[in-house]
Amino acid sequence: MRKAGHLIVYCTARNRREAYSVIQRFHLPYDYLILNNGSQIEDRAGLELYNHPLSHDLGMEILRFCRNYLGYYLYFQGSGEKTDCGIRNELADCVSSETEERGEKAFWVTAKRAEAYNMIGIKPYGKNAKLSKLVGIAGDIRQRYGAEVKVSLNTLSLAVTAKAQTKATAMVKLLSFMGQPLKVYCIGDSCNDTCMFCQADKSFAFFRSQQWVRASADALVGYVCEAVDQILDFPA
């Protein structure tokens, strides 16, 4: 695709550390990264082009609210120190640019230290791993904070970002940075990809995706390479 003149953008709900771990492991080429479900954009040199986080006070309030859902893994990506931290029951795993701490206390110490929050996530484990329960939690968050945040459903997790920050809005923002009209092709497998499908000239979903994800795409494929083959066949 790059030899044919296309730009490659990875658009993910993962944070920078998680995305890099996959990119480096498989030596994946790219031109831009859209991270934390659309709240961050950076180029292949690591230069941050865009960052629209939740404020510190709002993020702390949402973290405290979501902590009431026991049996769920609560995590965040902090802006400023670029901290990411997660907690499940009494166990926490926190990593920042300065230290690594574990435990409930460490979670809140790290959260309070963050200047702002690029994304807050919540996902179930064990017996709580049911989509219906997750949809219910999303409704609770929207009812309480809907005027200030965007809640997006991933395959089986929630991403809470600043209002109107999604993969689609980040894609539109990136196109505006480029300053020229470009055709957009995208492929995805989750609910938070469907907004991006609406902005693309051609969208692909996987056969294994949930029904409403498949229904939102222009075409279905089994593998990424099948989408690549079709894109290369399209006229420039």
Side-chain angles (χ1 to χ4, degrees), residues 11-193:
C11 190
T12 177
R14 298 176 188 234
N15 60 47
R16 179 185 284 105
R17 183 170 65 94
E18 293 170 326
Y20 280 177
S21 69
V22 178
I23 289 168
Q24 292 170 354
R25 180 182 176 187
F26 295 104
H27 308 288
L28 301 175
Y30 70 95
D31 296 284
Y32 297 95
L33 291 178
I34 293 175
L35 302 166
N36 291 299
N37 215 62
S39 67
Q40 280 181 288
I41 304 173
E42 67 174 46
D43 64 17
R44 61 185 177 190
L47 177 65
E48 188 172 76
L49 306 178
Y50 178 76
N51 187 357
H52 190 142
L54 294 160
S55 70
H56 172 83
D57 290 346
L58 177 59
M60 284 295 295
E61 187 176 338
I62 293 171
L63 285 172
R64 293 190 182 102
F65 178 77
C66 292
R67 190 69 184 96
N68 294 321
Y69 296 104
L70 297 179
Y72 288 80
Y73 185 66
L74 178 64
Y75 53 99
F76 65 85
Q77 167 71 14
S79 184
E81 280 192 349
K82 308 305 179 190
T83 303
D84 57 275
C85 186
I87 188 166
R88 185 182 73 174
N89 288 345
E90 301 302 316
L91 301 175
D93 185 8
C94 304
V95 180
S96 74
S97 58
E98 297 179 353
T99 185
E100 181 173 336
E101 303 171 281
R102 297 179 186 277
E104 174 95 17
K105 182 179 179 180
F107 178 88
W108 294 111
V109 167
T110 309
K112 290 176 182 178
R113 188 186 299 142
E115 295 177 10
Y117 302 87
N118 292 117
M119 191 187 81
I120 291 172
I122 183 169
K123 62 182 177 182
Y125 62 90
K127 295 180 180 179
N128 289 299
K130 294 181 180 178
L131 183 61
S132 58
K133 289 187 176 182
L134 201 60
V135 170
I137 294 173
D140 293 343
I141 298 172
R142 290 190 186 104
Q143 183 175 9
R144 186 155 181 164
Y145 303 103
E148 301 172 278
V149 305
K150 173 67 178 179
V151 184
S152 301
L153 178 66
N154 205 332
T155 304
L156 199 57
S157 66
L158 297 177
V160 183
T161 53
K163 187 175 181 180
Q165 301 307 298
T166 67
K167 291 183 176 183
T169 61
M171 187 172 71
V172 172
K173 178 70 70 172
L174 179 57
L175 287 170
S176 71
F177 292 155
M178 294 178 183
Q180 56 180 313
L182 296 171
K183 289 186 177 180
V184 176
Y185 307 99
C186 68
I187 183 168
D189 65 351
S190 301
C191 302
N192 61 349
D193 293 319

